[in-house]
Amino acid sequence: MASKLTTSNRSGWLFAFPGFGLITLFIVVPFFFAFWLSLTNQRLISPNPTEFVGLSNYERLLSVGVIDIDPEQDENGNLLRDDNGDLVYPRVRTFTRNNPDFAGYEGMREWFRWNSGDTAKVVVATDVVFWKSLTNTLMFVLIVAPVQGGLALCLALLINQRLRGINIYRAIYFMPVVVSIVVVSLLWRFIYDGNDGLLNNILSALSFGMFEGRDWLGNPNTALGSIIGMSIWQAVGFHMVIWLAGLQTISPTLYEAASIEGANKWQTFRYVTWPGLRNTAILVLIVITMQAFALFAQIDVMTNGGPLDSTTTLVFQAVERGYGKQDISGGATISVVLFLMVLTISMIQRYLTREK
Amino acid sequence: MKSTLKLTTALVFGACLSSAAAAQTELTMWYHGAGNEVESNIINQIVSDFNASQSDWVVSLESFPQGAYNDSVVAAALAGNLPDILDVDGPVMPNWAWAGYMQPLPIDESVIENFLPGPKGYWDGELYSIGLWDAAVALVTRQSTLDALGLRTPTLEEPWNLQEFMAALDAAKASGEFDYPLDLGMAWTGEWYPYAFSPFLQSFGGDIVDRSTYQTAEGALNGDAAMAFGEWWQGLFANGYAPGTSQDPADRDGGFIDGKYAFSWNGNWAALGALNAHDDTLFLPAPDFGNGSTIGAASWQFGVSASSEHPEGAAAFIQFALQDQYLADFSNGIGLIPATASSAQMTENYADGGPMAVFFELTEAQALVRPVTPGYVVQAKVFEKALADIANGADVADTLDAAVDEINADIAANNGYGH
Amino acid sequence: MAAIDPSNQGLRLATRYAVLTLIAVIFIFPLVFMVMSSFKPDLQLLRDTGSFRAFLPVGDLSLNNYAAAFDRAPVATFVFNSVLVTGLTVLLSLFFCSLAAFSFVFLNWRGRNIALSIIIATLIVPFETIAIPLLLLVSKLPWIGWEGLEWGWLNSYRVQIIPWIADGLTIFLFVQYFKDLPRELIEASRVEGASWWQIYIKVVMPLSGPVLATAAILKFLVMYNQYLWPLIVVQEESYRPVMVGLQYFFQLNIAWGEVMAYLTLITVPVLAFYLVLQKAFIASIASTGVKG
């Protein structure tokens, strides 16, 4: 690789400098500024002076604890049960509000709980919304990255054939990408509508009235799934185009060779197409992952993070806090946490897909 | 930016010293009415009338779409690029004044003594902003609906109480005529929630924040009254009285007119549409849930930015704009409630016997401004989320506690917001 | 063999088209909804949303919404601004990003790996998180214009263009593509004495049709849909782009018909750009004959 022919410090710098310099000035420098903000108590607007607060923003964001809660007993030591026969537990707020015995948990809220014997193990966190946004974001990424990447590849293979009028289809598949995500989200609100939405009407018609309409975005169980579905639909054309560009770089002579050797379609794909898409696959995987972690516009337009925080995401929270609640240092803290997390993941990705 | 502007202006002045225009000082003004043609015409008319009426000042106007206005102002303030005259939403004003974006408005109190209380923007004992109008909310329904359901028509003196209100919703539900008895406008996220719904909480006896000190929400937002409000609020959605947070925005806009809802909690800006669709549209006062009937007050107002070097010029323009004629123009143009009784008589809708005169009475009798504190901007957001969560079935006590904690943490982080 | 049977061949072809068309329907319906709705009065539009009528040109159709949209907002100004900003940014971006990627892939220089790692790391930074620091930065940057040195970039085209020229995704796109180009070709040219600049212009660029088209489309979309950035750096109407203009239509009672008309209008340039590029894209593959 490092042949003398290609070694050139001067030309190398000269060619890379404009692009690299612009990125440094307009992305890297502001990001370091955001990192600095996360160590202060800076408000978006305030007459109060900015103070350096160390890691306390991170502490507030990340602190979690577990409280063991025993079921209520009557004076004889018998466990109390409600009408359904379930054990009755004291409310978490009796521990986390003005309770000197649990001073370390002051102001924390329940995130989730499980039972160990009769004792309830309650996981409490200072910032439950942050943890929910973290798990929602991870869920979104884990589903969208493989599904969208895979569907996009299928579409690219489908569209990469010699057929009359194929260009029209290619254009149509790309159309959802062309329309702004804000616009698409607005349109899908009509489709997902709980009363008279198109999706309910179609499912009802297809099932001859068996399907009962549901409030897709209003139900915490279906809201995130609905947004995932729409997001895949919207952006799959984007990645189809990237796959297509990759497919074009595979030499036709390889396909000819494969067909001479009598390879079937799957073998051709497995031994000719897929190896030729290596760099494209890395690109698609990384791009989808980055975009999925940045999920914001759909949430902002369609659910505002609700219902019950079931669709809130890290970037949505960063924006909501930084701008909406004027807590620019709190918003910056989430951004930094997100950055470090994705950086770790992408380093793992790079390690796993490294050229051996 | 400012300095280059002044440099160029100076150059221009140098070039045409003899011209009369040289004596005039330019004042810049921002307004939130872009995209609303009628509103833009009226404000442009006021500006050109003012510019023609005297020779000291020239106001130049830049309009923004309302949805982007606050973000634009905050960004411009951060970048040090504010105009002389600012348009500000009433409840947001204390935040901007406290942050040092605005300066007190130097106009004489006697000029505004006849104004409704809502449009007057006071912070820290001083007048910072003044509005040409107010907005009000009413329970919109039809006479035919009341008749069909056999309901008493509530009045300002004798509004529905909690039992009557719930009985009305039950009757509407039982009739089977409607998708939902009540449309609260849950589709309108943002400022609508605190503006439209915090009066319910106040009528129950709670509030967003303790107004005696503005230092805590404990007790106000999670006390017994607030808990009762929260349970009632949750019941509206759990029992199918009202569509929840996923309401289709189109249903919000057209649902009542289409007959999907028996009652709609809506503002005076939507009143003309309802009146045009149904002759027998009625605007009922807010129910009294125990502590009197209350609706929100304060809408957009004018003030002077802190960076303006000509507050007297800015004040001259604002005072000029406060003429009854302009108040009436805005009201006739976009259905707003004129800020004085005398201008109300000059309007089509709010004059005695006019179709929307009831709104003037409502705002006079029931209006309560939202908490006057710089922290309101954050508190409104927290309140909105708490109401949305409760509507979606979250535990009332836990949700209100969390809201209180968040509001209190924010107040502490801002050193008490200067109260 | 069955495959030679013409009727079978026809059936297979028909199946292919059927599959392609079915998928096409899934992808195109919101656009059809948007366009159809733009011709309908508001109340009918809203009533139609629950049924297939939403996709059909039925009922009371007119161009009223378009006329009203032009009355409400300076649509032509917004479209002009967006096309200008987007066009310039795309051109500059293609040049600077491909040049940088060329250097990263084909040249050996000290610090190359670190620089590339930094660039790829910037992919992770969502723009929303750096908007305010960036705003503070550009409001203090110098500029030499007609009137000499001035400070601050607010209210201009440059503030909408220059920060967006270089981005990690575009560079990364070129890098991944260039890796697949045959290195022998470049080394051969080098042996023949070509300068790096000549190799970039005469060898690499002519082979880069597909990636140029892809990068151009993606960049175009990002730029054309800008909202937050122009919102905070532009206060004068004369510099506003289309997505900020969309806010003109979200008044308290939304005129959905006008919204749809406006959306249809602003979607036309993007679609046109894509269709034109798609042609160039196909042509470039045909002419270079693809390398192996």
Side-chain angles (χ1 to χ4, degrees):
Chain A
M1 271 286 191
S3 86
K4 266 207 175 129
L5 277 175
T6 59
T7 302
S8 172
N9 275 319
R10 210 168 56 96
S11 303
W13 261 109
L14 209 63
F15 279 29
F17 180 75
F20 183 68
L22 285 167
I23 285 186
T24 306
L25 180 61
F26 293 115
I27 302 178
V28 178
V29 169
F31 181 75
F32 275 106
F33 190 68
F35 178 68
W36 157 251
L37 285 179
S38 74
L39 302 174
T40 70
N41 67 349
Q42 178 76 46
R43 314 291 299 183
L44 183 62
I45 56 180
S46 168
N48 299 327
T50 305
E51 289 163 28
F52 182 79
V53 297
L55 293 175
S56 74
N57 285 323
Y58 292 90
E59 205 181 310
R60 208 168 45 242
L61 199 66
L62 299 172
S63 48
V64 284
V66 181
I67 303 180
D68 291 354
I69 300 183
D70 290 321
E72 307 237 29
Q73 304 174 349
D74 59 19
E75 53 273 27
N76 304 325
N78 297 321
L79 297 179
L80 290 174
R81 290 185 184 272
D82 66 10
D83 298 342
N84 297 329
D86 294 330
L87 292 168
V88 179
Y89 292 92
R91 300 193 64 121
V92 174
R93 73 194 294 240
T94 59
F95 298 91
T96 57
R97 291 186 79 78
N98 311 319
N99 187 336
D101 297 339
F102 288 82
Y105 299 97
E106 179 69 30
M108 286 190 170
R109 286 172 67 206
E110 176 170 346
W111 179 16
F112 60 91
R113 68 167 70 193
W114 76 95
N115 272 27
S116 153
D118 285 339
T119 307
K121 301 268 190 187
V122 180
V123 176
V124 288
T126 314
D127 199 332
V128 175
V129 176
F130 165 76
W131 289 105
K132 286 184 179 167
S133 65
L134 179 67
T135 49
N136 289 339
T137 308
L138 288 175
M139 175 84 89
F140 185 83
V141 173
L142 285 176
I143 296 177
V144 167
V147 175
Q148 186 164 285
L151 279 179
L153 178 58
C154 294
L155 285 179
L157 291 169
L158 194 66
I159 217 77
N160 195 36
Q161 49 184 338
R162 288 181 195 285
L163 271 183
R164 189 179 291 271
I166 197 76
N167 285 341
I168 296 167
Y169 290 103
R170 188 181 293 192
I172 290 174
Y173 293 2
F174 193 71
M175 276 188 183
V177 186
V178 171
V179 186
S180 143
I181 184 69
V182 172
V183 175
V184 165
S185 302
L186 277 169
L187 295 176
W188 276 75
R189 269 181 76 166
F190 287 108
I191 293 167
Y192 280 140
D193 190 85
N195 292 317
D196 199 22
L198 193 66
L199 183 61
N200 278 341
N201 289 348
I202 289 176
L203 290 176
S204 169
L206 288 180
S207 64
F208 303 103
M210 297 283 285
F211 180 84
E212 283 182 35
R214 64 186 64 187
D215 190 354
W216 296 97
L217 293 172
N219 183 333
N221 298 321
T222 53
L224 187 62
S226 302
I227 287 181
I228 287 175
M230 187 211 78
S231 303
I232 291 175
W233 170 88
Q234 196 263 342
V236 73
F238 181 107
H239 300 288
M240 176 191 81
V241 170
I242 301 184
W243 283 120
L244 265 177
L247 285 173
Q248 313 289 359
T249 64
I250 299 170
S251 166
T253 53
L254 289 174
Y255 286 110
E256 282 159 25
S259 93
I260 289 166
E261 304 220 346
N264 64 23
K265 275 195 170 168
W266 167 249
Q267 285 168 328
T268 312
F269 174 79
R270 176 68 188 79
Y271 296 105
V272 178
T273 314
W274 184 243
L277 289 174
R278 215 193 108 76
N279 287 324
T280 312
I282 295 172
L283 176 76
V284 169
L285 187 65
I286 291 183
V287 170
I288 293 186
T289 311
M290 306 295 172
Q291 288 179 336
F293 270 109
L295 173 63
F296 170 71
Q298 296 95 305
I299 306 297
D300 193 42
V301 176
M302 296 176 82
T303 63
N304 254 318
L308 301 181
D309 299 318
S310 61
T311 59
T312 191
T313 64
L314 290 173
V315 176
F316 180 78
Q317 280 301 319
V319 173
E320 174 74 4
R321 292 173 193 203
Y323 303 82
K325 294 179 179 164
Q326 305 190 343
D327 181 9
I328 192 88
S329 54
T333 309
I334 295 184
S335 311
V336 174
V337 170
L338 173 67
F339 177 82
L340 294 176
M341 203 172 70
V342 183
L343 190 67
T344 314
I345 292 173
S346 67
M347 284 190 346
I348 295 170
Q349 269 183 350
R350 273 177 79 87
Y351 177 77
L352 292 176
T353 57
R354 72 194 181 280
E355 291 173 34
K356 283 148 195 148
Chain B
M1 198 69 208
K2 267 255 142 64
S3 58
T4 47
L5 196 79
K6 271 200 304 211
L7 189 72
T8 35
T9 345
L11 287 173
V12 173
F13 285 178
C16 51
L17 261 177
S18 56
S19 124
Q24 294 188 317
T25 307
E26 183 178 338
L27 300 169
T28 48
M29 171 178 181
W30 289 359
Y31 188 73
H32 73 270
N36 190 325
E37 206 187 346
V38 183
E39 196 171 356
S40 297
N41 288 345
I42 300 170
I43 190 78
N44 283 328
Q45 184 65 47
I46 298 179
V47 168
S48 63
D49 286 356
F50 175 73
N51 290 345
S53 74
Q54 42 73 51
S55 54
D56 293 332
W57 317 102
V58 181
V59 171
S60 74
L61 183 75
E62 192 65 65
S63 280
F64 296 73
Q66 180 167 346
Y69 182 77
N70 284 354
D71 292 337
S72 293
V73 171
V74 169
L78 289 175
N81 195 29
L82 284 178
D84 294 289
I85 305 165
L86 269 179
D87 176 30
V88 55
D89 197 8
V92 173
M93 181 276 290
N95 188 264
W96 291 2
W98 167 77
Y101 293 5
M102 299 179 71
Q103 52 180 305
L105 177 58
I107 63 172
D108 198 74
E109 294 278 333
S110 64
V111 177
I112 56 164
E113 64 186 354
N114 294 324
F115 273 57
L116 289 168
K120 297 184 202 174
Y122 286 100
W123 161 244
D124 219 10
E126 293 194 80
L127 182 74
Y128 273 81
S129 59
I130 182 75
L132 276 60
W133 61 79
D134 206 343
V137 173
L139 192 64
V140 188
T141 188
R142 301 176 59 182
Q143 185 63 52
S144 54
T145 305
L146 289 186
D147 293 344
L149 302 176
L151 299 166
R152 170 179 82 86
T153 306
T155 60
L156 272 177
E157 294 72 34
E158 211 182 330
W160 280 340
N161 60 27
L162 182 59
Q163 286 73 29
E164 282 180 289
F165 180 62
M166 294 315 290
L169 297 187
D170 280 327
K173 198 175 174 190
S175 75
E177 300 273 311
F178 308 99
D179 287 3
Y180 288 97
L182 176 65
D183 158 39
L184 288 162
M186 299 296 279
W188 284 351
T189 52
E191 189 56 30
W192 172 251
Y193 276 53
Y195 171 68
F197 307 143
S198 69
F200 294 151
L201 170 62
Q202 283 143 9
S203 188
F204 266 91
D207 209 334
I208 296 177
V209 63
D210 181 350
R211 295 197 194 207
S212 62
T213 60
Y214 285 113
Q215 296 302 301
T216 180
E218 186 84 36
L221 187 52
N222 62 351
D224 293 340
M227 294 287 189
F229 159 79
E231 297 292 347
W232 167 78
W233 179 253
Q234 192 157 54
L236 288 180
F237 308 96
N239 301 324
Y241 291 117
T245 51
S246 62
Q247 182 189 29
D248 187 328
D251 279 346
R252 171 53 170 172
D253 290 343
F256 174 75
I257 291 174
D258 275 355
K260 290 184 176 177
Y261 309 118
F263 303 95
S264 176
W265 185 240
N266 210 335
N268 57 283
W269 54 87
L272 279 176
L275 275 170
N276 289 339
H278 304 295
D279 291 341
D280 65 340
T281 301
L282 286 180
F283 304 102
L284 309 179
D288 179 354
F289 297 124
N291 275 47
S293 305
T294 316
I295 55 171
S299 182
W300 290 89
Q301 303 168 355
F302 294 150
V304 188
S305 88
S307 59
S308 172
E309 288 166 13
H310 305 286
E312 69 284 6
F317 170 78
I318 293 172
Q319 190 162 335
F320 181 85
L322 295 179
Q323 298 173 40
D324 274 356
Q325 182 55 52
Y326 297 135
L327 274 53
D329 285 348
F330 266 111
S331 176
N332 287 333
I334 47 180
L336 300 160
I337 301 170
T340 64
S342 46
S343 60
Q345 293 309 322
M346 298 161 68
T347 66
E348 298 152 20
N349 296 315
Y350 295 95
D352 292 337
M356 284 153 67
V358 57
F359 278 105
F360 194 85
E361 295 159 23
L362 284 173
T363 193
E364 234 178 355
Q366 303 190 332
L368 175 65
V369 291
R370 285 154 275 180
V372 186
T373 171
Y376 174 77
V377 175
V378 177
Q379 289 153 19
K381 286 260 172 198
V382 176
F383 182 75
E384 180 191 355
K385 177 167 161 29
L387 257 60
D389 283 353
I390 292 174
N392 284 317
D395 182 86
V396 174
D398 287 348
T399 307
L400 292 177
D401 279 346
V404 166
D405 287 345
E406 192 173 351
I407 287 174
N408 288 358
D410 177 68
I411 293 172
N414 286 284
N415 300 337
Y417 278 118
H419 282 285
Chain C
M1 238 173 84
I4 309 170
D5 178 4
S7 69
N8 197 339
Q9 186 95 25
L11 191 69
R12 280 178 57 173
L13 202 62
T15 319
R16 276 188 181 184
Y17 276 111
V19 170
L20 286 168
T21 308
L22 190 72
I23 298 174
V25 168
I26 296 175
F27 281 109
I28 206 173
F29 75 95
L31 269 145
V32 175
F33 172 51
M34 180 176 89
V35 175
M36 290 309 158
S37 299
S38 72
F39 298 113
K40 298 176 184 174
D42 277 1
L43 274 179
Q44 187 203 333
L45 185 168
L46 297 178
R47 284 196 193 112
D48 285 355
T49 54
S51 69
F52 287 103
R53 289 174 60 85
F55 306 106
L56 303 173
V58 290
D60 181 10
L61 304 178
S62 74
L63 288 172
N64 291 347
N65 289 327
Y66 288 86
F70 276 99
D71 280 345
R72 187 186 290 273
V75 179
T77 308
F78 296 155
V79 172
F80 172 81
N81 288 341
S82 276
V83 169
L84 178 75
V85 165
T86 304
L88 280 175
T89 314
V90 168
L91 285 179
L92 292 168
S93 172
L94 289 183
F95 175 63
F96 286 117
C97 293
S98 63
L99 200 60
F102 174 84
S103 164
F104 284 122
V105 174
F106 297 118
L107 279 81
N108 259 317
W109 43 279
R110 204 176 313 200
R112 182 181 70 155
N113 287 333
I114 296 173
L116 186 59
S117 301
I118 292 174
I119 286 177
I120 291 174
T122 62
L123 276 175
I124 307 167
V125 181
F127 173 72
E128 288 85 358
T129 66
I130 57 164
I132 294 292
L134 192 57
L135 164 69
L136 298 176
L137 179 75
V138 298
S139 68
K140 292 178 182 63
L141 285 177
W143 184 258
I144 296 177
W146 302 116
E147 294 156 10
L149 186 69
E150 47 183 276
W151 295 89
W153 284 15
L154 303 185
N155 288 311
S156 62
Y157 288 121
R158 64 176 174 274
V159 75
Q160 300 182 63
I161 294 173
I162 296 173
W164 295 88
I165 291 174
D167 70 292
L169 177 60
T170 310
I171 292 180
F172 191 46
L173 205 64
F174 279 110
V175 164
Q176 293 302 95
Y177 184 86
F178 288 165
K179 277 185 184 169
D180 286 337
L181 293 182
R183 296 187 77 88
E184 311 82 58
L185 220 60
I186 280 98
E187 295 187 2
S189 313
R190 197 63 186 149
V191 171
E192 285 166 19
S195 72
W196 285 113
W197 175 252
Q198 284 167 329
I199 295 174
Y200 168 76
I201 290 290
K202 297 211 173 114
V203 181
V204 173
M205 278 299 111
L207 290 173
S208 301
V211 71
L212 283 169
T214 309
I217 292 166
L218 302 186
K219 191 77 186 181
F220 191 99
L221 291 173
V222 170
M223 292 309 296
Y224 197 74
N225 291 326
Q226 287 281 359
Y227 173 72
L228 180 61
W229 183 242
L231 179 76
I232 62 180
V233 293
V234 167
Q235 282 92 35
E236 290 168 22
E237 188 174 64
S238 52
Y239 291 110
R240 275 179 206 150
V242 291
M243 289 313 286
V244 176
L246 179 59
Q247 284 288 340
Y248 281 54
F249 294 85
F250 291 131
Q251 304 292 331
L252 260 171
N253 285 302
I254 301 171
W256 288 102
E258 283 181 50
V259 171
M260 298 299 173
Y262 181 73
L263 293 178
T264 307
L265 285 171
I266 67 172
T267 305
V268 169
V270 202
L271 219 52
F273 183 77
Y274 175 65
L275 293 178
V276 167
L277 264 195
Q278 178 171 268
K279 267 204 150 157
F281 179 99
I282 309 295
S284 77
I285 294 161
S287 67
T288 56
V290 187
K291 58 285 144 200

